[in-house]
Amino acid sequence: MATFFGEVVVAPFVVAIGRNAAAFLSSFILDSVCWEVVGVVKLWNEWCRTSSTTKVLPTDSFCLFYRLISDPTVLLCQCSCYVAEDQQFQWLEKVFGSMQKKDLQVTILSTCPVADYKTQESTLTLVSPFLRALKTKEFQEQVCCPLLEQPNIVRDLPAAVLSYCQVWQIPAVLYQCYTDVIKLDTVTIEAFKPLLSSQLLKSLAKDASESTKILKKFLTTGETHNNIYI
């Protein structure tokens, strides 16, 4: 089975990298009724030493993969853990090596500090968080935000996934959220909401009231975490 967008048949794969991007999928897309866990990639490095779990996000040392029950060609990945540079090739081979590349279309969500954004204007005048997009030449759909301007670049796993797709001629788009908050943050999570107007995600979005409940859980989790350091 495949997903039809007009006359085009695609097999969508959404990769959320980082805690806020993963939380966006949990809040606005994922639920236990329509989706099932079909895979896991476990990592270990100096940033991934915890084995604790939460009810709203994957653990800090796991990437979880989900399949849409009604259409098994639609896959999601939540990767809230850090993938070290020397692990990225192995991660890409493990993930994409098990997929049919024919008709595959990849959407990548990630965040990075607004201080990394290069502009002639002062970053102090920028209203953050904000989105920028970067795509492979095979990606023909309209993007949901402005394209990333030169001389800005992307790094780490988001860049590795996009580069892999470029080499294999897979249509792919990266949506990068520039934010001044590094912790789990509902404002940063909601900055991805314009993506719900895209052809793919608007068909996957769940009821707004359910999204609000999940966001409240993240807010409570964040406040509890912050209180530890008071």
Side-chain angles (χ1 to χ4, degrees):
M1 188 175 180
T3 302
F4 289 83
F5 291 147
E7 298 297 323
V8 181
V9 180
V10 300
F13 179 39
V14 182
V15 186
I17 302 170
R19 292 179 62 80
N20 283 301
F24 171 75
L25 290 189
S26 290
S27 299
F28 293 95
I29 305 294
L30 284 168
D31 62 46
S32 59
V33 177
C34 298
W35 299 85
E36 60 181 351
V37 177
V38 292
V40 61
V41 173
K42 186 175 182 180
L43 294 166
W44 193 97
N45 54 54
E46 61 270 25
W47 295 93
C48 301
R49 293 181 176 176
T50 179
S51 60
S52 63
T53 60
T54 70
K55 294 183 179 179
V56 288
L57 280 179
T59 69
D60 290 337
S61 58
F62 286 85
C63 296
L64 289 179
F65 295 82
Y66 302 84
R67 178 171 59 198
L68 185 62
I69 295 172
S70 62
D71 183 355
T73 65
V74 182
L75 298 172
L76 302 183
C77 170
Q78 285 183 309
C79 186
S80 56
C81 58
Y82 175 74
V83 181
E85 186 175 353
D86 60 354
Q87 296 175 313
Q88 290 170 10
F89 178 78
Q90 183 182 7
W91 191 94
L92 291 167
E93 288 293 301
K94 190 173 185 67
V95 171
F96 286 95
S98 61
M99 291 184 180
Q100 289 283 345
K101 294 182 177 64
K102 185 179 185 299
D103 299 326
L104 188 64
Q105 181 171 297
V106 179
T107 301
I108 310 151
L109 315 181
S110 71
T111 59
C112 73
V114 70
D116 290 350
Y117 182 71
K118 294 179 173 59
T119 175
Q120 293 181 342
E121 303 175 15
S122 170
T123 55
L124 296 176
T125 64
L126 293 172
V127 179
S128 65
F130 59 90
L131 290 172
R132 289 294 183 269
L134 192 62
K135 60 190 182 74
T136 64
K137 64 181 181 180
E138 289 77 18
F139 188 86
Q140 299 300 319
E141 292 182 21
Q142 184 175 353
V143 296
C144 301
C145 67
L147 291 171
L148 185 63
E149 306 91 341
Q150 293 183 344
N152 287 286
I153 60 173
V154 293
R155 298 184 175 87
D156 302 323
L157 186 61
V161 175
L162 195 67
S163 296
Y164 183 95
C165 292
Q166 182 70 55
V167 169
W168 285 93
Q169 299 181 327
I170 299 169
V173 59
L174 164 64
Y175 289 105
Q176 182 134 284
C177 177
Y178 288 90
T179 178
D180 54 5
V181 181
I182 60 172
K183 63 181 178 62
L184 195 62
D185 170 59
T186 55
V187 176
T188 302
I189 294 169
E190 290 190 303
F192 288 105
K193 284 177 71 174
L195 275 58
L196 296 175
S197 66
S198 69
Q199 218 170 7
L200 168 62
L201 293 187
K202 71 180 178 183
S203 66
L204 301 176
K206 60 188 178 186
D207 183 82
S209 62
E210 289 298 315
S211 299
T212 302
K213 290 178 185 177
I214 298 295
L215 279 172
K216 285 181 179 178
K217 286 184 181 180
F218 286 125
L219 182 61
T220 303
T221 302
E223 288 174 347
T224 302
H225 184 270
N226 290 340
N227 288 340
I228 296 174
Y229 301 94
I230 293 176

